[in-house]
Amino acid sequence: MKLFILLILFSFNAVIFSQEQLQTCAARKANKPSHFKSASLSVAEIAETEKYDVFYYDLNLEMNNISTYLNGSVSIHATAKEYLDSALFELFESLQISQIKLNNVAVNFSRVSNKVKVPVNAQAQTNFVIEIYYNGTPPTAQTNPLGGSGLTAGSSPTWGNKVVWSLSEPFSAYEWFPVKQSLTDKADSCAVAITVPDTCKAGSNGILESITPLGNGYTRYNWKHRHPIDYYLISVAVAKYVDYSIYANPVGSPNPVLIQNYIYDNPQTLPYFLDDINETVDFIELFATQFGPYPFADEKYGHCMAPIGGGMEHQTMTTQGFFEKTLTAHELAHQWWGDNVTCASWCDIWLNEGFASYGEYLMLANLYNGQQSGHMNQVHQNVMSQPGGCVWVLDSLNEARIFNGRLTYDKGSAIIHSIRYLIDNDALFFGALKDFQITFADSSATGLDFKNHIANFCNVDLDAFFEQWYFGEGFPTYQVQYNQVGTDLYLKISHTASQSNITPTFTNPISLRISRQGQADTIVRFAISSNQDFFYLNNLGTFNGNITIDPGNWIVNGTAGISMDPTLSYEQNITSTQYAINLFPNPTNDFIEIQDQILDYDYAIYSASGLCVEKGHLWPGQKIDVHSLKDGSYIFWFSDTTGNKLPKLVKIK
């Protein structure tokens, strides 16, 4: 995922550092720009594009490392899903189309701004090829304030090298090539041929099948990728590079995996980053043991340098501004989480960024043991720097919200850590991740797909957890009171919620480390069911008054103190300080209602992809008719007159 910051140069003993390298990962993410960016198609036009499936993109472009000017052609190979009179695709209006061919025959076409229609008159299940010849200069942030990141020309402030590179996530692929921008329609494969000056190299996806000297001061680099790929992961990068290639031997790969790195030809650059680049071998071998075999082992992994303050996980060849262990691990983890399995909508960008961010933690825990604790502490502190915010992205056209560092990355990473704690069995947890990668390989998935898959694989109920941590907002702050009578210990664990009008109660378990005189400390996991729970520990021994809340740092939480309460006893009742709602029956296929409803609620029903399918008002005793909903999982949001807003998961079947 892309990250941008201002670069500032420092020099010391002839070693060059940039500010981006000195910052922590969380700080880099916090520097993302905030601007609104929308896809260029209406809902009806998006529906038009869903009438055909793309199975192959073939790009043939003339480029250099100085200017973003393009000249060339792109072929879109597709299949009509139903009778198709015309095919709609996108291309930014500053790029001029000189000709379009359908199945190798020139045809007329219509164009309104960024929207191009080509008459195809194809029957259902018929293949067709649209070849677009075009040229021009893609937009910049100045010429297209809502985008302008699709293709960029720039110089590295640190090393001075000039580069032209693509960065299409989330909506900018159409700014540099004709495309259907749909997350759920992966092309089966792609080819990218880039003609560049002889002094340059051009990097892209897949295997470099050939380098063809053209004899006129230009050379063509022919790349071919034979795996399904989403539109925003197709990439180009052109610069004066040197090729530094190494090999890894990850578990599950029958042959060594090529790691092909296009590094600035500045003579200082490769030596400076050499050790960091070589660590990619360790990272890919580690992740293969935790996520499953590297998905593109028959081709490669690699990097193309470009002056960006971070990286972008282009499939098989990440575009990266520099090399540092958490950044490199993050972008590599994306090859599983984001590339092999891609989020089905930008609402569920967590599947890409949360898991790539957790890859940073796993790398530290396994290869830099001792550093992972400080990393997770920093993640938790960033999450708690504000009281609210949801991991699931409702405003999925807002780029700043999609790539919010605090919520999508850090809270996303933190709740994966919490799911691991809930499962409480690492073999089962990582087995579930591997099985998910197999089940959804080469395709896309929603957050609820992940939830359901892990719940079934591990035989654990994750509904309440996702309601509170994924769709809900905020975090708990725990308080513990205790009383010891003899060798028995009475405990009251209370918590308040930082965004109580949306998520009043967190029912995840919580662990306490309890210190005892003359005996080893004991860690006890407590099941939490309300905002105030009472527990009794029999024959604990002599308690010395020291209790640590969540000693393993598994849960994002604050602490409000630990104190003795001599009135605590076994007979006290559990009381909840918050009002909650329960839906029944769930699952259902006809009607659903709130158990013992006493308040009026407005409600909204959202599909897993973030589409609002129904809104209404619910009075006490009234039921919601769900006959019209297709089978699947839905998010029901209930709002009362006091501002409370509670998410609930419902399965329709």
Side-chain angles (χ1 to χ4, degrees):
M1 167 17 276
K2 59 181 180 181
L3 307 165
F4 296 98
I5 64 170
L6 178 66
L7 300 183
I8 304 174
L9 300 184
F10 297 86
S11 64
F12 180 72
N13 292 339
V15 178
I16 300 176
F17 298 91
S18 65
Q19 182 63 34
E20 61 189 355
Q21 291 167 243
L22 298 175
Q23 288 188 322
T24 64
C25 188
R28 289 197 303 271
K29 292 165 187 171
N31 280 288
K32 276 219 30 95
S34 296
H35 64 268
F36 185 82
K37 182 176 184 180
S38 64
S40 68
L41 301 184
S42 68
V43 173
E45 288 165 338
I46 291 172
E48 272 194 73
T49 68
E50 292 305 316
K51 295 178 180 179
Y52 67 90
D53 283 328
V54 176
F55 62 84
Y56 181 56
Y57 284 105
D58 187 355
L59 284 66
N60 192 334
L61 302 174
E62 297 175 4
M63 299 179 61
N64 59 53
N65 66 326
I66 306 297
S67 165
T68 60
Y69 179 83
L70 293 169
N71 183 44
S73 65
V74 171
S75 295
I76 302 174
H77 298 237
T79 304
K81 297 164 66 174
E82 56 188 77
Y83 171 73
L84 189 66
D85 59 350
S86 61
L88 173 65
F89 61 84
E90 297 179 78
L91 182 66
F92 196 79
E93 58 190 334
S94 65
L95 298 170
Q96 303 301 311
I97 298 174
S98 58
Q99 186 182 51
I100 293 182
K101 293 182 179 180
L102 174 68
N103 300 327
N104 210 32
V105 177
V107 294
N108 294 323
F109 59 92
S110 62
R111 185 176 194 182
V112 178
S113 184
N114 308 316
K115 293 161 277 195
V116 184
K117 277 190 178 183
V118 177
V120 294
N121 296 314
Q123 299 297 322
Q125 306 308 312
T126 300
N127 293 342
F128 58 91
V129 179
I130 300 174
E131 190 171 8
I132 304 101
Y133 295 84
Y134 70 107
N135 63 81
T137 302
T140 64
Q142 288 72 40
T143 58
N144 180 25
L146 300 182
S149 63
L151 199 67
T152 303
S155 299
S156 168
T158 305
W159 304 104
N161 298 75
K162 298 181 184 300
V163 191
V164 170
W165 72 96
S166 65
L167 207 164
S168 301
E169 189 183 29
F171 308 118
S172 291
Y174 81 114
E175 294 178 0
W176 65 280
F177 74 97
V179 65
K180 172 185 172 181
Q181 297 192 127
S182 169
L183 287 169
T184 56
D185 186 8
K186 288 189 175 185
D188 296 337
S189 58
C190 69
V192 181
I194 314 162
T195 298
V196 297
D198 288 342
T199 55
C200 294
K201 295 183 186 297
S204 189
N205 314 95
I207 295 174
L208 181 57
E209 293 201 316
S210 63
I211 302 174
T212 306
L214 301 179
N216 57 355
Y218 290 88
T219 300
R220 185 168 60 243
Y221 285 75
N222 298 292
W223 294 88
K224 185 68 178 289
H225 184 47
R226 293 176 172 84
H227 290 265
I229 184 169
D230 238 314
Y231 70 90
Y232 73 92
L233 295 168
I234 296 173
S235 69
V236 293
V238 178
K240 294 180 180 180
Y241 289 126
V242 294
D243 184 336
Y244 173 67
S245 292
I246 52 180
Y247 287 86
N249 290 281
V251 171
S253 299
N255 299 303
V257 174
L258 171 66
I259 302 174
Q260 187 172 17
N261 304 285
Y262 275 15
I263 308 301
Y264 297 149
D265 69 349
N266 184 313
Q268 295 180 338
T269 308
L270 180 57
Y272 181 74
F273 287 122
L274 186 63
D275 290 343
D276 296 293
I277 295 170
N278 287 341
E279 278 197 305
T280 310
V281 173
D282 300 327
F283 299 166
I284 199 169
E285 291 176 357
L286 169 66
F287 290 156
T289 68
Q290 299 184 313
F291 305 146
Y294 175 61
F296 314 112
D298 59 337
E299 294 190 351
K300 75 168 190 309
Y301 183 59
H303 304 93
C304 282
M305 290 193 74
I308 61 176
M312 175 61 211
E313 63 275 13
H314 294 128
Q315 198 155 302
T316 73
M317 203 165 201
T318 287
T319 304
Q320 206 156 297
F322 58 96
F323 296 89
E324 180 275 333
K325 59 181 180 291
T326 57
L327 174 64
T328 300
H330 179 107
E331 303 305 335
L332 173 60
H334 269 307
Q335 301 300 307
W336 286 266
W337 304 96
D339 293 10
N340 183 45
V341 182
T342 308
C343 60
S345 78
W346 296 111
C347 297
D348 290 299
I349 185 63
W350 170 70
L351 275 177
N352 295 22
E353 298 300 347
F355 281 87
S357 297
Y358 196 57
E360 301 173 36
Y361 175 87
L362 294 175
M363 178 275 295
L364 293 173
N366 286 274
L367 300 178
Y368 289 87
N369 190 23
Q371 294 187 23
Q372 72 274 19
S373 297
H375 176 89
M376 190 56 71
N377 279 331
Q378 187 179 46
V379 166
H380 284 195
Q381 290 304 312
N382 189 37
V383 173
M384 294 188 292
S385 65
Q386 297 179 37
C390 179
V391 176
W392 189 64
V393 180
L394 181 57
D395 186 1
S396 60
L397 293 180
N398 186 333
E399 184 182 355
R401 177 57 191 89
I402 293 171
F403 300 115
N404 182 286
R406 185 177 71 89
L407 299 173
T408 299
Y409 292 75
D410 283 347
K411 191 174 182 181
S413 171
I415 68 173
I416 297 164
H417 197 51
S418 299
I419 292 171
R420 182 179 173 186
Y421 169 72
L422 262 62
I423 294 171
D424 199 24
N425 181 322
D426 270 1
L428 193 60
F429 172 75
F430 287 109
L433 299 189
K434 293 174 186 176
D435 193 68
F436 181 79
Q437 285 290 319
I438 293 170
T439 302
F440 289 90
D442 298 327
S443 65
S444 56
T446 66
L448 287 181
D449 288 330
F450 178 82
K451 190 270 293 184
N452 294 333
H453 188 89
I454 301 304
N456 292 335
F457 189 94
C458 300
N459 193 27
V460 60
D461 187 349
L462 294 174
D463 281 3
F465 181 87
F466 268 71
E467 288 172 359
Q468 295 158 18
W469 285 101
Y470 187 63
F471 297 106
E473 296 191 28
F475 56 89
T477 293
Y478 294 103
Q479 182 180 31
V480 175
Q481 294 171 285
Y482 66 88
N483 184 32
Q484 185 165 31
V485 180
T487 60
D488 299 338
L489 187 67
Y490 300 93
L491 291 166
K492 180 170 75 171
I493 302 177
S494 308
H495 75 270
T496 58
S498 64
Q499 202 76 350
S500 59
N501 65 322
I502 294 177
T503 307
T505 306
F506 291 88
T507 58
N508 53 273
I510 193 71
S511 292
L512 303 182
R513 177 188 284 127
I514 301 172
S515 299
R516 300 174 294 175
Q517 293 180 6
Q519 301 181 61
D521 293 354
T522 183
I523 295 178
V524 183
R525 178 185 294 230
F526 295 91
I528 301 298
S529 60
S530 70
N531 293 80
Q532 190 169 273
D533 292 279
F534 293 84
F535 302 94
Y536 166 66
L537 300 179
N538 176 254
N539 197 24
L540 181 74
T542 304
F543 171 56
N544 67 10
N546 291 326
I547 293 176
T548 304
I549 299 172
D550 188 26
N553 207 22
W554 293 102
I555 306 296
V556 175
N557 72 88
T559 57
I562 298 166
S563 61
M564 181 179 179
D565 181 353
T567 68
L568 286 180
S569 66
Y570 184 72
E571 289 76 19
Q572 286 187 274
N573 295 319
I574 298 173
T575 59
S576 176
T577 60
Q578 299 288 351
Y579 176 75
I581 61 175
N582 295 307
L583 299 180
F584 76 99
N586 186 11
T588 185
N589 59 7
D590 50 12
F591 295 94
I592 197 165
E593 61 182 302
I594 298 176
Q595 185 175 7
D596 301 324
Q597 181 181 350
I598 59 175
L599 299 176
D600 286 6
Y601 288 97
D602 290 322
Y603 70 88
I605 305 173
Y606 290 88
S607 69
S609 63
L611 179 66
C612 183
V613 296
E614 184 179 325
K615 289 185 177 181
H617 189 83
L618 191 66
W619 292 271
Q622 187 182 14
K623 299 180 181 181
I624 300 174
D625 187 343
V626 297
H627 284 95
S628 62
L629 299 182
K630 297 179 181 178
D631 291 355
S633 296
Y634 293 82
I635 305 98
F636 284 54
W637 285 88
F638 293 92
S639 304
D640 64 23
T641 55
T642 66
N644 294 324
K645 188 176 181 183
L646 305 171
K648 304 295 288 184
L649 292 180
V650 174
K651 188 173 181 63
I652 306 298
K653 65 176 185 179

